[in-house]
């Protein structure tokens, strides 16, 4: 990409950026939480908005000179409201983890109980995993999926009745099924709990009207903006009007200082893109592509967790095929296919070498790949996994990956 000043002043950094662009372009990016932003979003990220401090919110800032910053942030808020039907939106969270932490502090007192999904069943670290600092502040109890891999509503209700949580938390990082928000809201109402959904992974599928939307139903909904929503790296919180003041205060001054307005401009642009009719086609294609992978991996005899997929991702137990999640990730990396090793429900193995891999279709779909390409991709993955110790097979797959990616250039208009 043309970055003359950077090339002249800091060629070492420019070279690393170019190398990363080449890596992204010549491989198959299948980590389900990754995506490629538009050039318009990239331009906003590299804009003068990064120079400005703007603590506070539009119309109520602590620093002067925020008149244009206010335009940017208000556009981001208004567009997010339109996409999700939100009563109130805060676009300042720096990413998903601080967004979640702010939600807990906005809604709860230290020591209060939160009922959230177990990490190995698809939950997220910030949903109360014992290694997190936030687990020292709140009392997290964890529900799981049932033997069929679905959220066990009876168990969730029984746990809610037993533990009387102040907050019931849904929305997951490795769970591949649809979520019945009204049923969970009903359980929450029965025990007097508030409801929170973390839609970081599926926000783009909701924006593209291909998955259920919790925003009109739940009290608070957090998300990142850089996954299926295809915006810049960042977070966002949506909530009912009743919680608006508490959420805003929990973000600033509760947790963060000056918002990153260049990112917020990128969010606003991504939201504009998500409001285009083409985004519905994008979300549909993400799911259609994932369904092809589901069919192919079933044909190859892999064990798909949760029984398959309703969204953009698959969680696959690779151990019956004689390798671990870490070995699978490494072999695929050598072959130019990026996935991540991942725990499976009640995994007997460790997080650094678990039984599964998690892979998804958002980034490949952004590059324009469709069902027929997914058939090819599935075969390439299968070959790499079957011959994971054979460097010559991995090299051959790498060559085929390169040939495939050449048909789908990344940022071609900017070269
Ligand atoms: N790291 C993100 C993911 O990959 O799902 C979530 O934190």
């Amino acid at each position: 990409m043309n970055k003359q000043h950077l090339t002249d002043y800091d060629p070492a950094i420019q070279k690393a950026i170019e190398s990363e662009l080449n890596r992204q372009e010549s491989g198959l990016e299948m980590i389900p939480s990754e995506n490629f932003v538009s050039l318009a979003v990239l331009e906003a990220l590299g804009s003068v908005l990064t120079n400005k401090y703007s603590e506070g919110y539009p119309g109520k800032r602590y620093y002067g000179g925020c008149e244009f910053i206010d335009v940017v942030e208000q556009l981001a808020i208004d567009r997010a409201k339109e996409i999700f039907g939100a009563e109130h939106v805060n676009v300042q969270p720096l990413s998903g983890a601080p967004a979640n932490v702010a939600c807990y502090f906005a809604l709860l007192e230290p020591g209060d109980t939160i009922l959230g999904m177990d990490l190995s069943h698809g939950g997220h670290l910030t949903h109360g995993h014992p290694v997190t600092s936030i687990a020292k502040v709140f009392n997290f109890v964890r529900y799981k999926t049932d033997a069929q891999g679905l959220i066990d509503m009876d168990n969730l209700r029984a746990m809610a009745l037993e533990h009387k949580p102040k907050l019931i938390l849904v929305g997951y990082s490795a769970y591949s099924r649809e979520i019945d928000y009204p049923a969970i809201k009903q359980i929450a109402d029965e025990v007097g709990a508030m409801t929170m959904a973390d839609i970081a992974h599926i926000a783009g599928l909701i924006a593209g009207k291909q998955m259920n939307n919790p925003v009109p139903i739940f009290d608070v909904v957090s998300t990142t903006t850089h996954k299926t929503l295809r915006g810049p790296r960042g977070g966002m919180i949506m909530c009912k009007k009743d919680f608006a003041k508490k959420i805003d205060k929990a973000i600033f001054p509760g947790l963060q200082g000056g918002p990153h307005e260049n990112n917020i401009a990128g969010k606003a642009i991504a939201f504009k893109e998500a409001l285009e009719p083409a985004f519905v086609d994008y979300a549909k294609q993400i799911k259609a592509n994932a369904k092809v992978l589901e069919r192919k991996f079933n044909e190859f005899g892999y064990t798909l967790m949760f029984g398959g997929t309703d969204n953009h991702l698959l969680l696959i137990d690779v151990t019956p095929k004689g390798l671990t999640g870490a070995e699978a990730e490494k072999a695929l990396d050598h072959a130019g296919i990026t996935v991540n090793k991942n725990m499976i429900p009640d995994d007997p193995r460790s997080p650094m070498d678990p039984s599964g891999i998690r892979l998804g279709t958002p980034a490949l779909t952004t590059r324009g790949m469709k069902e027929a390409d997914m058939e090819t991709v599935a075969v390439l993955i299968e070959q790499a996994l079957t011959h994971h110790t054979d460097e010559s097979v991995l090299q051959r797959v790498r060559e085929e990956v390169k040939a495939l990616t050449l048909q789908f250039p990344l940022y071609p208009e900017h070269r």
Side-chain angles (χ1 to χ4, degrees):
M1 293 196 182
N2 181 18
K3 289 195 161 52
Q4 200 52 52
H5 299 94
L6 186 51
T7 308
D8 290 346
Y9 183 69
D10 200 337
I13 289 291
Q14 173 56 10
K15 189 162 173 281
I17 293 174
E18 274 305 314
S19 301
E20 173 59 13
L21 173 59
N22 289 336
R23 187 197 67 81
Q24 290 183 11
E25 183 164 50
S26 65
L28 293 175
E29 182 48 70
M30 298 190 74
I31 292 175
S33 49
E34 296 190 6
N35 213 331
F36 304 113
V37 297
S38 66
L39 285 172
V41 169
L42 277 185
E43 284 172 10
L45 289 174
S47 72
V48 295
L49 297 174
T50 196
N51 297 335
K52 186 72 191 100
Y53 258 122
S54 55
E55 284 97 330
Y57 291 99
K60 283 177 290 182
R61 304 282 186 182
Y62 287 82
Y63 287 51
C66 288
E67 58 269 40
F68 306 113
I69 294 295
D70 278 2
V71 172
V72 167
E73 191 165 331
Q74 194 59 52
L75 275 170
I77 291 168
D78 292 344
R79 290 172 183 171
K81 281 184 176 173
E82 190 180 341
I83 295 171
F84 294 99
E87 291 180 12
H88 179 76
V89 175
N90 186 311
V91 291
Q92 293 191 4
L94 300 178
S95 206
N100 284 349
V101 170
C103 290
Y104 304 149
F105 278 105
L107 303 176
L108 306 168
E109 293 298 326
D112 281 351
T113 297
I114 303 173
L115 183 56
M117 173 79 99
D118 189 274
L119 178 71
S120 78
H121 287 244
H124 187 253
L125 279 172
T126 59
H127 296 183
H129 193 278
V131 299
T132 60
S133 310
I134 203 71
K136 298 191 179 103
V137 180
F138 300 103
N139 173 39
F140 286 90
V141 284
R142 282 173 283 280
Y143 60 93
K144 296 184 173 187
T145 52
D146 63 17
Q148 282 69 48
L150 302 178
I151 295 170
D152 185 340
M153 286 296 180
D154 293 337
N155 176 252
L156 199 157
R157 179 168 176 271
M159 288 187 75
L161 288 167
E162 181 189 345
H163 296 284
K164 304 256 177 311
K166 284 258 181 73
L167 182 68
I168 296 183
L169 176 56
V170 305
Y172 316 105
S173 289
Y175 186 64
S176 50
R177 290 301 190 188
E178 185 52 279
I179 302 168
D180 186 348
Y181 300 105
I184 289 164
K185 171 85 171 118
Q186 203 177 344
I187 294 171
D189 286 347
E190 193 179 341
V191 298
M194 290 173 282
T195 44
M196 173 174 161
D198 173 349
I199 60 167
H201 263 262
I202 55 175
L205 296 175
I206 295 169
K209 303 190 189 329
Q210 303 307 307
M211 288 195 83
N212 296 337
N213 181 7
V215 175
I217 302 167
F218 271 35
D219 294 317
V220 175
V221 176
S222 68
T223 187
T224 52
T225 48
H226 50 270
K227 298 187 176 92
T228 49
L229 197 46
R230 211 166 56 181
R233 195 154 288 280
M236 173 164 79
I237 302 173
M238 296 169 273
C239 64
K240 299 283 181 206
K241 274 210 175 88
D242 289 352
F243 296 98
K245 275 199 178 133
K246 284 183 171 174
I247 290 289
D248 284 354
K249 275 191 184 161
I251 286 290
F252 176 80
L255 187 66
Q256 296 184 176
H260 295 185
E261 295 290 348
N262 56 326
N263 265 69
I264 291 174
K267 290 173 190 175
I269 295 162
F271 299 159
K272 183 171 179 189
E273 291 167 0
L275 284 163
E276 306 275 356
F279 202 82
V280 172
D281 299 334
Y282 171 60
K284 272 188 194 156
Q285 192 65 54
I286 287 176
K287 281 181 69 169
N289 285 350
K291 275 289 175 201
V292 174
L293 296 182
E294 175 192 89
R295 174 169 55 74
K296 294 299 287 182
F297 284 106
N298 274 326
E299 280 171 23
F300 296 146
Y302 284 87
T303 312
L304 303 187
M305 299 293 104
F306 316 120
T309 184
D310 297 325
N311 58 22
H312 62 302
L313 69 82
L314 293 121
L315 182 60
I316 304 173
D317 181 1
V318 292
T319 55
K321 292 277 186 178
L323 72 172
T324 68
E327 287 166 346
E329 179 189 287
K330 195 166 162 226
L332 291 170
D333 232 5
H334 278 200
I337 303 169
T338 315
V339 307
N340 67 277
K341 58 182 177 292
N342 212 98
M343 303 280 273
I344 60 168
D346 296 323
D347 202 323
R349 302 186 58 83
S350 72
M352 286 312 288
D353 193 8
S355 301
I357 53 171
R358 186 187 66 151
L359 51 85
T361 55
L364 297 189
T365 307
T366 295
R367 290 189 75 168
M369 293 192 191
K370 296 204 161 55
E371 287 88 336
D373 309 302
M374 290 304 116
E375 303 248 354
T376 309
V377 167
V379 170
L380 292 173
I381 293 174
E382 159 67 354
Q383 289 174 352
L385 293 184
T386 304
H387 304 283
H388 64 280
T389 53
D390 186 337
E391 198 54 40
S392 64
V393 174
L394 298 180
Q395 274 314 313
R396 183 186 48 74
V397 173
R398 180 90 188 90
E399 291 309 313
E400 290 186 36
V401 163
K402 257 192 203 152
L404 177 63
T405 59
L406 281 176
Q407 299 170 39
F408 301 94
L410 190 57
Y411 304 121
E413 60 279 58
H414 205 64
R415 292 268 186 182

